[in-house]
Every structure is written in C-alpha cells, then in structure tokens.
Amino acid sequence: REQQELSSEALEVWADCHSALGRMKAEEVAKAKDCLEEMREEERAQVSGFGIEFSVDEVGGLTPLCHPLSQDVEENSNHAIRYLIRSLQCCNHPGRRTEVMSKLAASYTNLGEHYTHTGRFTRAHQHYRQGIQLFESIGDKQATASLSFRLARLFASRACSAINHAGLSPEQQADLSKALPILEGALSDLTQAQQGGGGGAGA
C-alpha cells in the first residue's frame, strides 16, 4: 500500500509537469527538459533505485520522460490526464484522492476548452463525453455536472452561431434539442453533489 501511494504521488508530479509544459513557450520547455534530465541523472547517482521508474503493473506502461517534452497543449494535456488517472488508481488516501480528482477535472476542462477555442467541435464533443463517463464512474457528481454544462454550451453555441432572419436550420434545432437534456442532467448532478456535501472535486 505504501509503494502504491508513492507511485501515485510520483505520477501526480509528472502530471503537474505536463500541465505546466502546456503553458510554456518553446524556449522555456527546452530549459525545463535540460533541468529535468540533469535532476534525474543527479538523483540516480545519489540514490540507488531512485523512484521514478515503476513496473508496468503500477503505471500501465507509462514511464516519466518517455515522451519528448513539448509545449503542445493537446499533447501535454493528454499526458497529464493519463498520469492522473493512473495516480488515482494507485491512491488510497482520501484527501489525496480529492486533490487528484480536482486536477483531473481541471485537465479535462482545459483540454475541452482548447478543442472548442480551436474550432474542433467533434473532438470537443467526444472529449467531454469521455470525461462525463469517467467522472460518473468514479462518482464525482460535481465534475460530471461541470463537463455536462460545457457540453451543453458547446451544442448551444454551435446552434446560435449562424442564426439568421429565416430562423433555425434543422441542424441548429437538433443541436438545441441535444443541449437541453444535457443541461437538465447537469443541473440534476449538481443538485445531488450539493445535497451530498460537495460530491467531488469539480472542474
């Protein structure tokens, strides 16, 4: 159990690194990579069995620094999400689980907003759906509601983006009809989360 918790903490740190990299400029990423490589070599020289390498069973084949470091938002967000999911699976401490779930919700939200702002409606739709299913499965009503609100807003925004005097097109009507039940579901999840004393980490 202690080894699992250490693995979870290390994976959370690497998720934090990727989240930070997604906010950096190219030259800052290059400097960060050099610093991380130097730190890793120093720690390996000082401590036998330095704890940044884990078995496949512990991290599902994810090894820190196995990905080329870049400033790409989508790439780093996806790496952060994968690390956080594995961190959550290894985490047994209730307080840390809440923290990891909060970071996971934020990462899902940020990537969904990135897809939306870059005009990738289908990808944003798929991403929000996946996030909703994930947070439903771990019982985080607040994060489920937050992502549902964003999904409903995605459909509503597309429906309202090309309104003209002739009225709504069939496609716009379809988008609005999809947004309404999603919004109702989000309100229901949010109510349950509030009644349950928070119900999760949120986004």
Side-chain angles (χ1 to χ4, degrees), residues 16-92:
D16 290 343
C17 289
H18 279 292
S19 295
L21 286 167
R23 299 188 295 269
M24 290 182 179
K25 298 178 181 178
E27 58 271 20
E28 293 174 328
V29 172
K31 290 180 181 179
K33 181 177 180 180
D34 291 341
C35 289
L36 289 170
E37 291 284 4
E38 183 178 339
M39 180 189 71
R40 181 173 68 168
E41 293 306 318
E42 288 177 355
E43 292 291 349
R44 280 181 171 172
Q46 294 173 9
V47 183
S48 176
F50 178 56
I52 65 167
E53 294 182 354
F54 309 100
S55 69
V56 173
D57 289 339
E58 287 171 329
V59 298
L62 294 176
T63 303
L65 290 181
C66 66
H67 312 291
L69 301 188
S70 77
Q71 78 276 19
D72 184 78
V73 174
E74 181 178 355
E75 182 179 344
N76 280 300
S77 294
N78 278 315
H79 290 329
I81 287 169
R82 284 193 283 269
Y83 281 127
L84 288 168
I85 289 173
R86 295 303 298 166
S87 175
L88 191 61
Q89 291 171 338
C90 296
C91 183
N92 299 299

Side-chain angles (χ1 to χ4, degrees), residues 103-180:
K103 290 181 178 181
L104 183 58
S107 293
Y108 256 97
T109 299
N110 292 339
L111 184 52
E113 292 295 307
H114 172 71
Y115 287 139
T116 301
H117 292 156
T118 53
R120 299 161 68 183
F121 175 88
T122 301
R123 192 67 192 94
H125 173 215
Q126 294 172 342
H127 175 74
Y128 283 135
R129 286 288 189 191
Q130 291 170 354
I132 290 167
Q133 291 175 358
L134 170 65
F135 287 105
E136 283 179 341
S137 71
I138 60 179
D140 190 336
K141 293 289 186 181
Q142 198 167 340
T144 301
S146 178
L147 293 179
S148 295
F149 274 123
R150 285 170 170 78
L151 180 59
R153 186 176 63 186
L154 186 68
F155 280 113
S157 297
R158 188 170 74 165
C160 297
S161 63
I163 292 179
N164 53 51
H165 295 297
L168 296 175
S169 67
E171 292 78 11
Q172 290 171 315
Q173 293 178 26
D175 280 342
L176 287 176
S177 68
K178 291 174 183 176
L180 183 58

